[in-house]
Amino acid sequence: MAKKIMAMVDRLSDLPEPILIHILSMLPDGKDVVRSSVLSKRWRFLWRSVPISLDFSFPEDTYLGLPESGELEILDFVNSTHRELLYWGSGQKIRKFNVVVNFSVPERFDKDIDLWVYFATKKANVEDFTLECLSGYKLPQFAFKNSSLRYLNLQYCKLKLEPSVNVNWSNLVSLSVGYVKLTEGVMRKILSGCPNLECLLLDFIWGFDRLEISNVKLKKLTINSYETSECDVWLEILAPHIQNLELLGYSSGIRLRNVAALVTAFFRIDFQFDFGEADRSEKNEISCLKELLHSVAHVKNLELSHWCIKVYVHTGIGRLPVSTIELKILKTSHKL
């Protein structure tokens, strides 16, 4: 049996190096990739060229927002994460790094999370980084400068992002920010520091009422739930270069000021105008949808949710002086 295994290894060793690296990249456990170095001299250093993904999540019910574990369990997780990162800090290429935590005593471990963020953004120079801290965490200033990141997902980062430095995410192509307070100034800093950004997802955000996107390469904008404490304030979007717009979830009023390049629009949105008066709220919902439809009358593809279709058909919006709007309703969704 040993001879057969060695013979198989020898045949594999004759393959070109890119193919061997691809084979190793399909192993589910990164440590198995490292163990391959003992197979033969040809395999000794191949593992260093195989990009791996690291995923650290605590606890299993993180997404429920219920940190039920005690401090000792958190300590075990934190220490084991430090050991893992020490193990992988010896030259292995790490392409993707996910950290999802929900600590019941968040401030106690902020410095530990700082080290993980430093590992991802400064030491390992990962291309794809996800950080979700449901219990709250403030992104350190050094993380706002990185030229390796291409995909960045930040969720629940403690009330709001506060870059005191100029943001430099020069190679970022996709940014997702969720469950966080943003200001117009912060958004301006972030967007100016992402010259190659192509996709932007804002998921359950609040704190500003104007979003101006001048990034020429940014083609897709998704907003999933926007909140404001002022009922009469609508979010104004100025984005002359975007080609794909998605408005999802529950939202306060949204107004499109300049979306001249828009090709595809998808509205699966339910407006919430809490005036305490049902008639007034409904009137504002209809008004908002009517204005949105006027703003996207030039698009080639328009997709509306069941609610938007219902309002469109039964409230007189269907009599808008837009000659081709009916032809552009390509697909409807019966779920909001």
Side-chain angles (χ1 to χ4, degrees), residues 247-265:
L247 301 180
L248 313 173
Y250 295 92
S251 186
S252 304
I254 295 179
R255 176 175 287 121
L256 304 178
R257 286 300 192 193
N258 184 359
V259 287
L262 200 62
V263 177
T264 298

Side-chain angles (χ1 to χ4, degrees), residues 273 275 277-287 311 315:
F273 291 92
F275 292 104
E277 302 175 12
D279 291 343
R280 188 181 177 192
S281 296
E282 183 179 357
K283 182 179 179 180
N284 277 273
E285 291 170 2
I286 295 171
S287 176
V311 174
T315 62

Side-chain angles (χ1 to χ4, degrees), residues 39-253:
L39 293 176
S40 72
K41 290 183 178 180
R42 176 77 191 282
W43 294 69
R44 184 174 298 173
F45 300 109
L46 282 177
W47 65 275
R48 291 182 178 271
S49 300
V50 180
I52 64 167
S53 298
L54 299 180
D55 193 340
F56 300 99
S57 300
F58 178 91
E60 291 183 358
D61 61 355
T62 292
Y63 289 102
L64 299 177
L66 301 171
E68 297 176 350
S69 303
E71 191 165 343
L72 288 178
E73 292 177 87
I74 298 175
L75 277 171
D76 287 342
F77 170 80
V78 168
N79 291 332
S80 67
T81 301
H82 286 314
R83 287 193 297 269
E84 282 287 305
L85 295 186
L86 184 64
Y87 178 86
W88 293 114
S90 58
Q92 176 76 358
K93 182 176 176 56
I94 300 171
R95 186 187 67 83
K96 189 173 184 178
F97 187 23
N98 295 336
V99 176
V100 182
V101 293
N102 186 22
F103 295 155
S104 54
V105 281
E107 294 81 5
R108 165 76 170 78
F109 298 100
D110 277 358
K111 296 300 181 183
D112 297 286
I113 302 176
D114 282 347
L115 290 174
W116 304 341
V117 174
Y118 184 85
F119 179 90
T121 60
K122 297 299 181 182
K123 188 173 183 181
N125 290 318
V126 300
E127 296 179 7
D128 190 334
F129 183 38
T130 292
L131 177 64
E132 297 187 21
C133 296
L134 281 82
S135 45
Y137 171 74
K138 185 176 180 180
L139 196 68
Q141 295 301 311
F142 65 77
F144 289 104
K145 291 183 178 292
N146 181 283
S147 59
S148 299
L149 284 170
R150 288 178 56 80
Y151 307 92
L152 179 60
N153 180 13
L154 300 173
Q155 304 288 325
Y156 301 95
C157 287
K158 203 171 193 175
L159 298 181
K160 60 182 177 180
L161 296 174
E162 296 180 309
S164 60
V165 297
N166 290 329
V167 176
N168 181 11
W169 290 331
S170 56
N171 288 307
L172 201 67
V173 296
S174 177
L175 174 63
S176 300
V177 180
Y179 293 85
V180 62
K181 180 179 181 180
L182 297 167
T183 66
E184 187 177 334
V186 167
M187 283 303 307
R188 187 163 50 245
K189 267 190 174 183
I190 291 174
L191 290 172
S192 65
C194 304
N196 291 300
L197 195 64
E198 299 174 6
C199 300
L200 175 63
L201 167 61
L202 301 177
D203 185 9
F204 199 88
I205 42 90
W206 66 96
F208 64 101
D209 54 27
R210 191 172 189 271
L211 177 61
E212 184 170 359
I213 301 174
S214 58
N215 305 51
V216 176
K217 294 185 178 181
L218 203 158
K219 302 302 181 184
K220 183 176 181 179
L221 171 65
T222 301
I223 296 180
N224 184 13
S225 298
Y226 163 79
E227 281 198 353
T228 178
S229 58
E230 301 179 42
C231 297
D232 290 323
V233 174
W234 291 17
L235 173 63
E236 291 188 345
I237 300 175
L238 299 87
H241 304 292
I242 64 168
Q243 297 178 3
N244 187 309
L245 173 66
E246 295 184 350
L247 301 180
L248 313 173
Y250 295 92
S251 186
S252 304

